[in-house]
Structure formats: C-alpha cells, structure tokens
Amino acid sequence: VQLQASGGGLAQAGGSLRLSCSASGGTFSDYAMGWYRQAPGKEREFVAAISWTGGTTSYADSVKGRFTIARDNNAKNTVYLQMNSLKLEDTAVYYCAADPTMVVLTSTPDYWGQGTQVTVSS
C-alpha cells in the first residue's frame, strides 16, 4: 500500500492543524492506520493509531486530549490527524503508517508514507 501525507505547515502555539494521509494500492479497510513523528535530534515516536473500522483508537500520552485520529473507509481512503492546542514540542516531521495489525502498527508498521513537516511557533 502506498501512503501520501499532506497538511503540514506552520501554526502558532495553541492553534490547530489537520494532517491527511491518503492510501492507494491496497484495500484500505484491511489496514490499521497511524501517525508517527520525529523531532530534530530525536527518535521517531508513535503518536496515534486507529483500527480497521475506526472503532478503536490509541494515543501517545503526550497528545491525549489534544489530537484526534479518524478515518474515512469509503471513497476517500484517508486517515486524518486533527491536532489542537498545539505546543512547541509538537514540532516534528509527521509520518503516516499502515499495518494489517494494530498491535504491530504501534511499534513496527510495515508501510510508511513520506513525512510532512509541522512547525509550531510561539
């Protein structure tokens, strides 16, 4: 499956951004989907995941209550990450990921999209 992320950019602290990731080349509803991020000088870290049907979600503690992951399994085949109450420490390159299994998705997903830069300024 091929993943294409978009929606990154510059936002002020306290503001919002929405990332999108469109999938092609596979049956979208066969995959759990998620987001990771990598800040400068740091390792890539898990941010959020959503199950095949969207009925189960998982978040890193650092984003709980601020970020929301959602998916459209119909014509759009897209997963979204709504980011609210942004903080300076949310600045990172955000990567979309997919895996047939949600447990694996939250550690070592099989498929990765290209990154999209999110920069939060004061």
Side-chain angles (χ1 to χ4, degrees):
V1 62
Q2 291 79 48
L3 305 173
Q4 180 72 37
S6 61
L10 178 65
Q12 288 193 323
S16 298
L17 282 175
R18 188 176 81 156
L19 305 183
S20 300
C21 175
S22 60
S24 61
T27 302
F28 185 63
S29 58
D30 285 347
Y31 295 90
M33 301 294 298
W35 292 92
Y36 282 71
R37 68 186 181 186
Q38 187 167 19
K42 295 187 177 181
E43 293 187 355
R44 191 176 299 188
E45 64 175 2
F46 167 77
V47 174
I50 188 166
S51 61
W52 310 307
T53 63
T56 301
T57 57
S58 178
Y59 296 94
D61 288 343
S62 58
V63 306
K64 278 181 183 176
R66 301 188 299 118
F67 290 11
T68 303
I69 189 170
R71 67 188 294 160
D72 183 340
N73 281 359
N74 298 317
K76 294 186 177 180
N77 286 354
T78 300
V79 61
Y80 304 97
L81 185 68
Q82 178 66 43
M83 305 185 294
N84 298 329
S85 302
L86 284 164
K87 302 178 179 180
L88 297 179
E89 52 264 41
D90 294 322
T91 295
V93 177
Y94 284 71
Y95 297 90
C96 178
D99 196 274
T101 307
M102 188 155 168
V103 170
V104 175
L105 175 69
T106 59
S107 58
T108 55
D110 280 347
Y111 303 97
W112 293 93
Q114 94 294 355
T116 185
Q117 176 71 46
V118 171
T119 302
V120 182
S121 64
S122 59

